[in-house]
Amino acid sequence: YVVTPAIFSSSTLIEADSPNCSYVPFEGKYKLTLNNGEVVSAECDDSSAITQNEISAYSATVVSVVVGNCTTEISNNAFRECPMLRDVIISESVRNIGDVAFYKCYNLTKVMIRSGVTRIGHLSFYECTGLNKINIPDTVTFIGEDCFQFCDSLTSITIPSSVTSIGNQAFWHCDSLTSAVIRSEY
């Protein structure tokens, strides 16, 4: 199993990713693991959104992101062009993944989206060329234009029946995509 580094305190939980251990979400706003092993976290504040301004100082070195339970939105451009970002875990409190949120995160390979998200914005995962797997929970109703465009490593996708709108070219140039399951109630 893989255990992501964490700071142990009464308000911080550690997460584990293994077949025998489900993920326990971080309680704060976000937790970033940087490539030098440093962990940066933010507790809840007046804003329940993660913004680009909060992340910009770490964008060159962040390798892992855990979005905490008090977060309801990942704002537009929040993690845009984080070159070393490899994995993202989004808690069930998040409702919206903003436009261009993970745009051109070339090394992003794993995204876990918990039930709760209803909207995945335009260009959210555009040109995430390393992304090979993504789960779309059955709470999502909207997938924006060009959302997964140029995700060259994406091999399969399942669209739940809850999705009522898929934007133009959402999966355009996903050259490795060999399986697409669309669960429609019609």
Side-chain angles (χ1 to χ4, degrees), residues 1 3 5 19 29 35 41 59 70 75 86-87 90 96 99-100 102-103 116 125 143 145 151 164 175 183:
Y1 67 93
V3 176
K29 192 171 184 181
N35 71 339
S41 62
S59 63
C70 67
S75 295
R86 291 189 313 248
D87 59 87
I90 300 171
N96 179 44
D99 298 344
V100 197
F102 296 96
Y103 178 93
F125 295 95
I143 297 173
E145 288 184 17
C151 289
T164 58
D175 296 337
R183 300 206 161 134

Side-chain angles (χ1 to χ4, degrees), residues 100-163:
V100 197
F102 296 96
Y103 178 93
K104 291 189 177 183
C105 291
Y106 299 118
N107 288 308
L108 185 62
T109 58
K110 179 182 172 187
V111 177
M112 178 186 286
I113 303 173
R114 297 279 186 187
S115 292
V117 171
T118 59
R119 181 183 186 278
I120 302 175
H122 306 296
L123 298 154
S124 289
F125 295 95
Y126 178 90
E127 215 169 306
C128 291
T129 55
L131 186 62
N132 54 38
K133 181 179 180 182
I134 189 164
N135 66 305
I136 298 178
D138 60 8
T139 53
V140 172
T141 60
F142 178 88
I143 297 173
E145 288 184 17
D146 307 312
C147 187
F148 297 99
Q149 190 176 131
F150 293 109
C151 289
D152 297 341
S153 299
L154 191 62
T155 58
S156 66
I157 191 82
T158 299
I159 309 293
S161 60
S162 59
V163 174

Side-chain angles (χ1 to χ4, degrees), residues 22-94:
S22 63
Y23 170 73
V24 180
F26 172 62
E27 292 296 329
K29 192 171 184 181
Y30 62 78
K31 180 169 62 178
L32 310 176
T33 303
L34 308 183
N35 71 339
N36 63 3
E38 184 180 353
V39 176
V40 175
S41 62
E43 294 302 318
C44 301
D45 58 17
D46 292 339
S47 166
S48 61
I50 298 176
T51 66
Q52 184 179 24
N53 291 339
E54 292 173 328
I55 305 302
S56 61
Y58 310 107
S59 63
T61 61
V62 64
V63 295
S64 179
V65 175
V66 177
V67 178
N69 279 335
C70 67
T71 306
T72 58
E73 178 180 2
I74 299 173
S75 295
N76 296 348
N77 298 293
F79 295 95
R80 178 182 183 148
E81 297 180 77
C82 289
M84 302 193 66
L85 182 59
R86 291 189 313 248
D87 59 87
V88 175
I89 299 173
I90 300 171
S91 77
E92 60 274 353
S93 64
V94 175

